[in-house]
């Protein structure tokens, strides 16, 4: 069974600095998708960034980028120029290309220090 | 507004009772997914419906059931409620060809069992 592991329950970063959230996953499949979702205090789940496993190029969305290491089954999220509005719970997630179900990690709570 | 509507937003009920959570998917989406988020936990997949038919089932308790109606709205029924059922219940929807897209989530229903 596929699993997603986020080893950092909580992290803090100074405003304007860069922070990296870690995620590893376990799968025997070769075709899949990876996601980072953000859950602010409003509790709304917001898709931050996604990566197709067949693409070697790392995805980037403005200040958010990923480091996708397929062989190591690692998918970290880098947030540059951290802003107060980035404070949230961040979930790493996996979906097999053969399935519609998304599997989530337990999340990393990110604090932004002013 | 994500386009996925969940009602009610908050629900407080007593142990042993039964409740119904409602979800209206984003316009055009045929798939509805239900997830449970307990305290300090990630999102646990409960069930997936596509165009009225059950497609996949996760770790959903026998006390829980769901259905998707012809107008595509879905209901999650929770019965014989226990204190441990207190959680945030999310509904999400997606289109036919999910591809690399993630889901669109509703804002959740906060269930408190007392």
């Amino acid at each position: 069974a596929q699993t997603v592991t986020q080893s950092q329950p909580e992290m803090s970063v100074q405003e304007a600095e860069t922070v990296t959230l870690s995620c590893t996953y376990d799968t025997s499949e070769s075709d899949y998708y990876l996601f980072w979702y953000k859950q602010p205090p409003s509790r709304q789940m917001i898709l931050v960034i996604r990566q197709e496993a067949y693409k070697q190029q790392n995805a980037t969305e403005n200040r958010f980028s990923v480091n996708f290491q397929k062989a190591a089954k690692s998918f970290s999220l880098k947030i540059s120029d951290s802003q107060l509005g980035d404070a949230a719970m961040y979930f790493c997630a996996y979906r097999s290309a053969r399935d519609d179900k998304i599997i989530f990690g337990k999340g990393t709570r990110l604090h932004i220090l002013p | 507004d994500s386009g996925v509507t969940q009602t009610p937003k908050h629900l407080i009920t007593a142990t042993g009772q039964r409740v119904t959570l409602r979800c209206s998917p984003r316009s055009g989406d045929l798939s509805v997914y239900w997830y449970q988020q307990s305290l300090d936990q990630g999102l646990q997949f409960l069930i997936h419906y596509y165009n009225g038919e059950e497609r996949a089932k996760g770790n959903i308790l026998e006390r829980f059931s769901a259905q998707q109606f012809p107008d595509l709205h879905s209901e999650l029924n929770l019965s014989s409620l226990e204190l441990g059922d207190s959680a945030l219940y999310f509904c999400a929807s997606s289109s036919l060809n999910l591809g690399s897209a993630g889901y669109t989530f509703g804002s959740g229903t906060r269930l408190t069992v007392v």
Side-chain angles (χ1 to χ4, degrees):
Chain A
Q2 298 95 348
T3 58
V4 177
T5 302
Q6 294 178 249
S7 59
Q8 306 150 314
E10 284 194 70
M11 293 190 70
S12 297
V13 64
Q14 209 73 37
E15 194 177 2
E17 296 295 308
T18 295
V19 64
T20 299
L21 280 56
S22 301
C23 172
T24 58
Y25 58 94
D26 187 25
T27 183
S28 58
E29 310 222 351
S30 59
D31 195 8
Y32 52 86
Y33 308 98
L34 297 165
F35 310 89
W36 279 98
Y37 277 87
K38 169 185 178 181
Q39 186 179 41
S42 67
R43 78 188 186 195
Q44 179 74 48
M45 292 291 288
I46 302 166
L47 179 62
V48 174
I49 198 166
R50 59 179 153 227
Q51 174 82 40
E52 294 90 342
Y54 62 83
K55 288 187 178 179
Q56 292 189 336
Q57 185 172 6
N58 290 323
T60 298
E61 289 286 345
N62 300 315
R63 297 182 295 106
F64 298 86
S65 61
V66 298
N67 183 4
F68 173 47
Q69 302 289 328
K70 191 171 185 178
K73 297 180 182 175
S74 171
F75 184 61
S76 60
L77 174 70
K78 185 171 82 171
I79 306 174
S80 304
D81 186 24
S82 298
Q83 301 175 1
L84 294 177
D86 295 333
M89 183 75 93
Y90 286 82
F91 292 98
C92 179
Y94 164 98
R95 182 176 75 81
S96 165
R98 300 189 300 142
D99 195 355
D100 288 343
K101 179 179 70 179
I102 294 181
I103 299 168
F104 290 85
K106 292 192 173 183
T108 296
R109 186 170 299 282
L110 179 64
H111 302 279
I112 309 296
L113 307 174
Chain B
D1 182 8
S2 68
V4 179
T5 303
Q6 286 189 250
T7 57
K9 292 192 184 303
H10 302 276
L11 196 52
I12 302 175
T13 190
T15 54
Q17 295 298 304
R18 172 189 169 94
V19 297
T20 297
L21 312 184
R22 182 188 169 101
C23 170
S24 294
R26 193 178 54 170
S27 178
D29 286 352
L30 299 179
S31 275
V32 170
Y33 311 82
W34 286 97
Y35 281 80
Q36 179 191 57
Q37 184 181 20
S38 301
L39 188 65
D40 294 331
Q41 294 291 315
L43 280 74
Q44 300 295 315
F45 170 72
L46 294 178
I47 200 162
H48 169 207
Y49 274 86
Y50 173 75
N51 201 22
E53 294 193 4
E54 182 184 304
R55 283 283 286 258
K57 190 178 274 192
N59 295 325
I60 187 168
L61 299 172
E62 286 192 11
R63 301 183 286 108
F64 295 2
S65 64
Q67 53 184 328
Q68 185 179 27
F69 295 87
D71 67 352
L72 300 177
H73 92 271
S74 178
E75 292 181 356
L76 179 66
N77 300 295
L78 315 176
S79 61
S80 302
L81 286 167
E82 302 174 358
L83 295 178
D85 297 327
S86 296
L88 189 55
Y89 291 85
F90 279 106
C91 165
S93 73
S94 71
S95 59
L96 173 62
N97 297 312
L98 192 56
S100 64
Y103 305 149
T104 300
F105 280 87
S107 58
T109 293
R110 168 73 69 187
L111 173 66
T112 302
V113 182
V114 297

